[in-house]
Amino acid sequence: MNDLTLYPADLAALSVAQLAALPPEQKAEISRNLDEALAWLKQARAKFDAALEAAYGEQARAARLAAGKDFGVVHLTDGALRVTVDVPKRVAWDQAQLSQMARRIAAAGERVEDYLDVEYSVSESRFNHWPQALQRQFEPARTVKPGKPTFRLTLSQED
């Protein structure tokens, strides 16, 4: 199978049609190699990000504190290197408390939508367990679209 090996530069040079026309064994090898490369890159990125945190994290926290902010972008310099450190703000809302607030807003005669972003949804497993009569009532509000297909390649074991 070594004669089937495609290196990254070879792979990048092939068109989609050429890749689709490859023999099954070569497709399986490429898929396996890409999965391994992605796993390696993810691990390498995590390790390098940890190294950057070790090298610049404390300095970035001090710069953010000096700027009077808990989140956002700060810029550092390390010799000729300009380091931009961004700590995004991640906000989470307690759904039970928001639900109570929405009921109070509605009870006061106000429009909930003026205060809260409201999105209704029904879990697919719940919908599938409903009686058909109830499903039919909800179907006009339901749109089903295909997701992105995924492929897993495995070679059959030869006897």
Side-chain angles (χ1 to χ4, degrees), residues 106-127:
E110 299 280 334
R111 287 174 20 97
V112 173
E113 295 83 4
D114 290 343
Y115 300 92
L116 302 172
D117 294 327
V118 180
E119 179 180 307
Y120 298 103
S121 66
V122 177
S123 76
E124 193 64 8
S125 62
R126 180 181 291 167
F127 178 83

Side-chain angles (χ1 to χ4, degrees), residues 64-144:
R64 203 171 286 103
L65 182 63
K69 57 185 182 178
D70 295 324
F71 307 100
V73 175
V74 293
H75 301 284
L76 311 171
T77 47
D78 184 2
L81 181 65
R82 182 171 191 221
V83 181
T84 300
V85 184
D86 185 8
V87 175
K89 184 190 302 185
R90 299 223 194 284
V91 177
W93 292 92
D94 183 292
Q95 296 303 296
Q97 289 186 41
L98 285 180
S99 178
Q100 291 173 353
M101 290 177 186
R103 285 193 291 277
R104 286 197 302 262
I105 291 168
E110 299 280 334
R111 287 174 20 97
V112 173
E113 295 83 4
D114 290 343
Y115 300 92
L116 302 172
D117 294 327
V118 180
E119 179 180 307
Y120 298 103
S121 66
V122 177
S123 76
E124 193 64 8
S125 62
R126 180 181 291 167
F127 178 83
N128 288 331
H129 286 93
W130 286 349
Q132 285 191 348
L134 185 57
Q135 286 181 355
R136 280 194 293 276
Q137 292 176 33
F138 277 77
E139 281 177 348
R142 181 174 179 254
T143 302
V144 179

Side-chain angles (χ1 to χ4, degrees), residues 1 3-6 14 17-31 153 155:
M1 199 182 289
D3 59 330
L4 296 177
T5 299
L6 283 175
L14 294 176
Q18 289 170 316
L19 288 168
L22 292 174
E25 295 81 10
Q26 204 164 15
K27 288 176 186 159
E29 180 186 11
I30 290 169
S31 181
L153 305 179
L155 290 174

